[in-house]
Amino acid sequence: MKLYKKYLAKLANKNENSVSAKESVREDPEKVVQSKLSDERAEEIMEKIKIKYPEIYDLLVKELYRAIKQGVVSELDGLTLLSIAHSIGLDIRPDLRIRFVKNGKEVDMKEYLGK
């Protein structure tokens, strides 16, 4: 009987050590998803979802994390995130930006118009 108790204590101690080791290795799903955002528009959309729909944001991050770990998603751009948000019924609108490009370089409006 003493040997059995000793074995159970050893087994319980081993399980505690393995659980603590697994917890220290765990990744933060939000950081993994943030690292896969490919442009500033995607970061903006994720931030808007986080502010406007915090309960859905956590679920979305978990699902995107799962898709990244399974290899289904390699990177996320703004258009893809916006499509996902609209398909699940979220009313997210990115900020409107007007950019003037002249000879492959972004310039202000005065330079673009040549004044």
Side-chain angles (χ1 to χ4, degrees), residues 26-35 58 61-66 68:
R26 278 196 188 149
E27 296 177 303
D28 182 20
E30 187 173 4
K31 286 183 182 178
V32 172
V33 171
Q34 291 289 334
S35 70
D58 294 333
V61 166
K62 286 179 186 176
E63 290 302 314
L64 290 174
Y65 176 75
R66 187 175 57 82
I68 290 167

Side-chain angles (χ1 to χ4, degrees), residues 10-114:
K10 185 178 179 182
L11 189 60
N13 190 18
K14 184 178 178 183
N15 284 338
E16 288 176 10
N17 289 340
S18 68
V19 168
S20 64
K22 286 180 183 177
E23 287 176 0
S24 66
V25 175
R26 278 196 188 149
E27 296 177 303
D28 182 20
E30 187 173 4
K31 286 183 182 178
V32 172
V33 171
Q34 291 289 334
S35 70
K36 296 297 182 179
L37 300 179
S38 64
D39 58 4
E40 63 185 47
R41 185 71 80 182
E43 294 170 5
E44 173 192 338
I45 291 170
M46 285 299 282
E47 190 62 32
K48 285 185 178 235
I49 293 171
K50 185 176 186 177
I51 292 168
K52 197 169 181 182
Y53 304 100
E55 66 284 346
I56 294 175
Y57 176 79
D58 294 333
L59 193 69
L60 180 64
V61 166
K62 286 179 186 176
E63 290 302 314
L64 290 174
Y65 176 75
R66 187 175 57 82
I68 290 167
K69 286 301 173 186
Q70 289 177 349
V72 176
V73 175
S74 60
E75 69 176 12
L76 294 163
D77 62 347
L79 184 61
T80 304
L81 273 177
L82 192 60
S83 297
I84 291 170
H86 286 169
S87 69
I88 60 176
L90 304 181
D91 182 29
I92 299 294
R93 295 187 181 143
D95 294 336
L96 181 63
R97 293 186 198 128
I98 299 173
R99 296 181 180 168
F100 299 98
V101 179
K102 188 173 190 178
N103 298 329
K105 181 179 162 188
E106 190 173 329
V107 296
D108 64 352
M109 190 170 125
K110 288 181 183 178
E111 188 177 332
Y112 183 77
L113 295 175

